[in-house]
Amino acid sequence: MPLADTSQGDARPVVSDIAARLERLPMSRYQRKIFAVIASAWLVDQIDVALLTFLLGSIVVAFGLSPTEAGQLAAMTFAGQLVGNIVAGTASDRFGRKAVFQVTMVVWGLASLAAATAWSLPVLMACRFLIGAGVGGEAPVAQAMVSEIVPAPVRGKYIAILEGFWAVGYVLSGAISFFVLPYLGWRWAFVVVGLLSLVVLAVRRNMPESPRWLAEAGRHAEAEAVMATMERAVERATGRPLPPVTPQIAAAVAETAPAPRLSAVATLFAPAYRMRTVMAFGLWFFALIGFFGLNSWIAVLLKERGFSIVGSVGFVTLITLGGIPGFATAAVLLERIGRKPTTALFLICAAAAAWLYGNAAGETWLFVSGFVMQFFMFGMWSCLYAYTPELYPTRARATGAGFASAFGRIGAILGPMIVPVLVRDYGPATAFQVGAGGFLIAALLVLTLGVETRGKVLEAVSH
């Protein structure tokens, strides 16, 4: 069905037509192939982000870093992510998903290779900042892309699975560190990940632009071309005609009063989205201050309990395996019971597990509580990434996800800087108590200010 020419008037009929045609597409190997391309990049960049968790002990020894300097190095990744979240998120809403997605990967891939040659702490900090900027920029674009292509009934599940690749990436990062560190040293771990990024960059060159974004941007002919290509590909993949367009979806979007043409940033603070923005910003800030405050220092804290550097890396890698069933469970619950209850549940349980881990006595309980803690913390990540892009309209989706994630990076910067002070003054258990407190505050924000988006067409949730 060709798009009507609305270039001189309200584009809502075009947007509603694209939305209705996307939502009627059954999930097929075509959409799963696009998803796999996005997820492969997500996997490799999370390996790179997680590297410092496992390499920090060796880098501290190599450069003779003080606890303060080590905290500053860890914080540089999150500072870069903050910048990348904002810049790439807003650029994606203005220039499109595809081009920005490619640029972010080039940035962090080259920065990872450069980190392997760092001859001083300032150079390594600069490289980690650029790695963070590339990875942080990729996050809101990936969220927007998946949410705009996958139909509403399984949208939350697929974004949760996307985020779950971070848990896999975390484990692989630990495995790479475990096998590379004893034989080649920490620099070669950065080389391995940098080379992986080049492979993934080549794989995703043919990823399509989002038809929803093209329609919203007024590029109607391009939206029609991409949409028609997707429809033909899904028909070939399924081997049967497409189901009819559901009139209710198109009508619901078309009949909604056109929103004021605000900029993407202004949209976040418009009356319809203001409370969502407060919730999303606070959710990310407190969740990430808890997560990174714990995980950036967890290997160092284990070393203080008597583990060797390689032994602590192996221990963290093993307990991180708990994140894999965690994100899988979150993916199921997000679609079955909804975004709000699932997000709150995982945050509350992560708080309880963090408190138990910080007070665990003996290696057995340390492992059990650590495994459970990672289960809920990585499930929490799936909830954050599935929920946030659904809160905003297409014209501001990546911007909203990027700004919310940027507030999270502020928490991620503060967490690794606060933890060593708490450890020094009050002992390791205090750090985990503060992390638990951050998770509880985030859960409270979701329960009081959150809206439910499960199973709803994006244009019906935000317009």
Side-chain angles (χ1 to χ4, degrees):
M1 179 171 59
L3 297 175
D5 182 7
T6 58
S7 58
Q8 302 302 316
D10 178 25
R12 190 159 302 277
V14 177
V15 174
S16 64
D17 178 78
I18 289 291
R21 290 164 69 185
L22 277 167
E23 292 297 333
R24 62 91 176 255
L25 295 180
M27 282 299 293
S28 70
R29 65 176 179 269
Y30 173 74
Q31 294 105 314
R32 293 188 187 99
K33 181 179 178 181
I34 297 174
F35 174 80
V37 170
I38 298 172
S40 66
W42 192 253
L43 171 67
V44 178
D45 69 28
Q46 299 313 318
I47 292 175
D48 208 348
V49 169
L51 269 182
L52 199 61
T53 298
F54 303 101
L55 302 184
L56 186 59
S58 295
I59 292 171
V60 166
V61 173
F63 287 104
L65 305 184
S66 67
T68 300
E69 289 173 325
Q72 291 170 345
L73 174 61
M76 290 307 294
T77 305
F78 309 123
Q81 286 180 311
L82 188 156
V83 173
N85 289 153
I86 294 174
V87 173
T90 53
S92 174
D93 282 332
R94 183 171 181 182
F95 302 111
R97 315 304 193 208
K98 182 178 178 179
V100 176
F101 200 50
Q102 296 286 63
V103 169
T104 59
M105 191 157 201
V106 172
V107 170
W108 71 257
L110 293 178
S112 185
L113 293 173
T117 69
W119 58 88
S120 66
L121 177 61
V123 173
L124 185 57
M125 290 175 71
C127 291
R128 288 302 297 182
F129 178 88
L130 290 174
I131 288 171
V135 172
E138 193 167 58
V141 185
Q143 292 174 67
M145 194 72 180
V146 174
S147 67
E148 289 169 3
I149 288 178
V150 175
V154 293
R155 186 178 63 231
K157 181 179 78 172
Y158 272 86
I159 299 182
I161 292 172
L162 173 71
E163 176 51 28
F165 276 83
W166 187 13
V168 179
Y170 220 93
V171 172
L172 290 177
S173 183
I176 290 170
S177 303
F178 185 80
F179 289 108
V180 171
L181 267 177
Y183 306 105
L184 299 174
W186 60 268
R187 295 180 185 275
W188 278 96
F190 282 116
V191 172
V192 170
V193 178
L195 294 176
L196 284 174
S197 74
L198 299 180
V199 174
V200 176
L201 180 64
V203 168
R204 71 179 191 183
R205 287 178 301 173
N206 296 322
M207 190 179 70
E209 182 57 270
S210 164
R212 273 185 161 106
W213 179 83
L214 288 168
E216 185 72 37
R219 293 162 61 172
H220 304 150
E222 293 174 74
E224 167 62 25
V226 174
M227 190 68 247
T229 299
M230 293 181 67
E231 289 170 331
R232 290 193 297 269
V234 173
E235 278 192 316
R236 287 195 301 269
T238 59
R240 56 183 182 271
L242 296 177
V245 174
T246 304
Q248 292 86 344
I249 295 177
V253 179
E255 291 173 3
T256 304
R261 298 308 299 175
L262 302 174
S263 69
V265 175
T267 298
L268 307 186
F269 301 97
Y273 303 106
R274 194 172 298 146
M275 286 299 99
R276 298 184 189 188
T277 297
V278 170
M279 184 274 293
F281 287 12
L283 167 63
W284 277 82
F285 176 82
F286 287 107
L288 268 63
I289 201 173
F291 181 89
F292 284 108
L294 304 181
N295 275 276
S296 292
W297 281 85
I298 196 169
V300 177
L301 294 173
L302 286 170
K303 186 173 179 292
E304 291 183 0
R305 290 195 179 195
F307 286 76
S308 67
I309 291 177
V310 175
S312 65
V313 168
F315 187 90
V316 174
T317 302
L318 287 175
I319 65 172
T320 303
L321 288 170
I324 296 175
F327 86 77
T329 303
V332 173
L333 293 180
L334 283 164
E335 296 297 0
R336 291 199 177 175
I337 68 174
R339 313 305 196 236
K340 278 184 66 172
T342 303
T343 304
L345 173 65
F346 273 80
L347 284 164
I348 292 168
C349 290
W355 186 88
L356 290 172
Y357 183 86
N359 292 278
E363 289 188 17
T364 300
W365 283 110
L366 197 64
F367 177 81
V368 171
S369 58
F371 189 93
V372 173
M373 179 178 69
Q374 298 289 17
F375 177 98
F376 287 111
M377 288 201 301
F378 279 95
M380 170 202 78
W381 276 105
S382 291
C383 297
L384 293 180
Y385 278 99
Y387 193 20
T388 307
E390 297 177 339
L391 299 173
Y392 298 105
T394 300
R395 65 184 179 278
R397 182 163 295 118
T399 300
F403 269 79
S405 186
F407 264 78
R409 305 310 161 186
I410 296 173
I413 293 167
L414 293 176
M417 298 176 71
I418 292 171
V419 166
V421 177
L422 295 173
V423 171
R424 182 194 65 199
D425 295 342
Y426 302 103
T430 309
F432 292 89
Q433 293 165 6
V434 171
F439 293 144
L440 289 176
I441 294 172
L444 182 62
L445 286 168
V446 172
L447 291 172
T448 55
L449 299 178
V451 297
E452 186 54 69
T453 58
R454 177 174 65 102
K456 298 179 181 178
V457 177
L458 291 173
E459 287 76 12
V461 177
S462 305
H463 54 79

